[in-house]
Amino acid sequence: MPMSQPLPPLPDTFDADLGLDLHMHSTASDGALSPQALTDACHAKGVTRFSLTDHDTVAGVAEAQRHAESLGMRCLAGSELSTLWRGIGIHVVALLPEGASGALVPGLEAQAQARVSRAQEIARRLEKIGLEDALARAREQAGSERPLGRPDFAKALVAAGLVPDMPTAFKKYLGAGKPGDVKTHWPYLSEVVEWIRDSQGIAVLAHPLRYRLTHRKRSQLLDSFREAGGEAAELISGHQNADVGRDLARQLEARDLMGSQGSDFHYPGGPLAPGVMSAPPRCSVTPVWRHPKLARFAA
Ligand code: AMP
Ligand code: MN
Ligand code: MN
Ligand code: MN
C-alpha cells in the first residue's frame, strides 16, 4: 500500500544522512539481494531515494521501482557501465530519469554480448591456472542466467580450493593486471557517455578514487570525461579517506562537475549497507540532484 507521507525535498547542498544512495547493486548483476529485497533493505535503513545501478544492465530496475513506489520511496533508473580510458577500466554510472532509450539500448545489448565473450576469455585463462570447466563453475556460482562478472569467477576459484577467499582471488588472478583481468571488450569512455546522453541521462564518473590514479592522472581523467559530455562524478563512494576526498572536491569544483554520492553496496554483512558512506567534505560542489533532469526526483 502506498505510504501517504510525502518525502521532504532534498537540500541544495551535501549533507550527512540525506537518505539518498545513487549507486547500488542487485542480483541483476553481482549484488546479493534481489531488486525487491534491496529496496526493503533501503527502507529499513531510512534510504528513501535511491538508484539501482547494476553493472551494464537495467534489468532489475522495473522490479525495484514497483516495490519502491509501494513503500512511498523513489527509485531512479540507473546502470554502472564498464568502459576503457587509456587502457584503464573505468566505470560510469548512468542516472536515467527517463529510463534507457536511444543509443543506450543497443549499447547495453553490446555490453551484455561483451560480457559473454569476455567470460569465455576469462575462463580460458583460468583453466590454464588449474580451474577446470571454469565457465560452468562461474555460472554455477552466479546461480542464474545473468551476464557473468569477475566475482563469479572469484567465487569459483574459492569453491575449487585454489584460493582461500575472494580478496585473494582478485589479488592473484582477477584484479588489475592479473591474467583474469580482461578489459579489452569494453567500449571507450566517450562512446558510453554518448549513449547515456542519447538516453536523456546524466553520466557520472563512478568512484574516482578507486582507480589508483595519481592526482595528475585523475585530473586528466576528469578532463576527458567532461570533454566527452560527462556532467558529474561520485564525490563520495562508500568509505573513503577524508583528505583525498577533499582533494577530489577541489578537482570537481575546478571543472564545474557536479557531485554524486553512493555506497556501491553489493551484499549485506560487510562494511557497507544502503545509504552507508563517508561524510561529505566541506566544499562548494553542486550536488547532482540539483541537475534539472533530476528535479522531480529531488522535489
Ligand atoms: P566485472 O564487472 O566483471 O569487471 O567485475 C568487477 C566487480 O568485481 C566490481 O564491481 C566488484 O563488485 C568486484 N571486485 C572488484 N575488485 C574486487 C576485490 N578486490 N575483491 C572483491 N570484489 C572485487
Ligand atoms: Mn560489482
Ligand atoms: Mn564500479
Ligand atoms: Mn558498483
Side-chain angles (χ1 to χ4, degrees):
M1 285 299 106
M3 261 178 21
S4 46
Q5 206 79 307
L7 296 179
L10 287 170
D12 288 347
T13 52
F14 283 91
D15 231 324
D17 302 323
L18 295 175
L20 174 73
D21 193 329
L22 297 175
H23 186 152
M24 286 186 289
H25 297 269
S26 77
T27 48
S29 66
D30 57 3
L33 303 181
S34 69
Q36 173 162 346
L38 175 69
T39 305
D40 284 329
C42 287
H43 191 254
K45 290 279 175 192
V47 173
T48 50
R49 285 182 181 85
F50 66 99
S51 184
L52 177 59
T53 56
D54 276 307
H55 294 287
D56 303 301
T57 183
V58 290
V61 166
E63 178 184 323
Q65 286 185 324
R66 236 179 292 120
H67 196 53
E69 199 175 323
S70 78
L71 293 168
M73 304 154 69
R74 280 187 210 156
C75 172
L76 184 64
S79 181
E80 179 179 19
L81 284 94
S82 310
T83 83
L84 272 181
W85 175 76
R86 298 189 188 175
I88 304 168
I90 299 292
H91 288 174
V92 177
V93 164
L95 297 179
L96 303 164
E98 315 283 336
S101 66
L104 183 59
V105 175
L108 290 175
E109 275 165 29
Q111 294 291 82
Q113 195 48 55
R115 275 193 183 268
V116 171
S117 48
R118 173 180 178 257
Q120 288 163 351
E121 177 63 18
I122 294 174
R124 207 179 59 78
R125 295 186 186 187
L126 294 186
E127 277 165 12
K128 282 196 186 156
I129 60 110
L131 185 68
E132 284 169 40
D133 293 323
L135 200 57
R137 287 170 189 256
R139 175 59 65 201
E140 190 184 331
Q141 293 299 323
S144 79
E145 288 308 303
R146 66 159 171 76
L148 295 173
R150 280 179 287 164
D152 304 310
F153 288 97
K155 286 177 191 160
L157 286 167
V158 177
L162 289 166
V163 290
D165 50 35
M166 295 270 287
T168 310
F170 272 89
K171 208 151 127 191
K172 284 184 77 173
Y173 299 119
L174 292 157
K178 301 299 169 190
D181 173 35
V182 181
K183 312 170 286 206
T184 48
H185 295 74
W186 303 128
Y188 208 71
L189 176 72
S190 53
E191 189 180 347
V192 169
V193 171
E194 275 301 315
W195 299 346
I196 297 168
R197 293 180 67 91
D198 200 53
S199 187
Q200 312 308 318
I202 303 164
V204 182
L205 184 70
H207 43 66
L209 300 178
R210 266 204 267 139
Y211 304 114
R212 299 209 204 127
L213 304 176
T214 59
H215 173 93
R216 187 180 144 79
K217 196 84 186 271
R218 192 161 65 239
S219 285
Q220 292 169 356
L221 170 60
L222 290 166
D223 286 339
S224 293
F225 184 68
R226 184 95 175 92
E227 203 170 313
E231 297 184 88
E234 288 181 341
L235 176 62
I236 310 158
S237 173
H239 297 294
Q240 62 189 38
N241 175 282
D243 289 330
V244 193
R246 272 188 287 274
D247 184 42
L248 175 62
R250 301 293 97 84
Q251 290 181 301
L252 302 193
E253 286 165 354
R255 290 165 181 80
D256 233 343
L257 282 161
M258 305 179 107
S260 187
Q261 62 173 52
S263 61
D264 203 1
F265 172 73
H266 280 74
Y267 54 88
L272 290 171
V276 170
M277 61 195 84
S278 293
R282 198 188 296 275
C283 67
S284 61
V285 175
T286 304
V288 71
W289 56 90
R290 300 325 300 170
H291 195 294
K293 287 176 176 169
L294 296 186
R296 265 199 315 155
F297 179 71

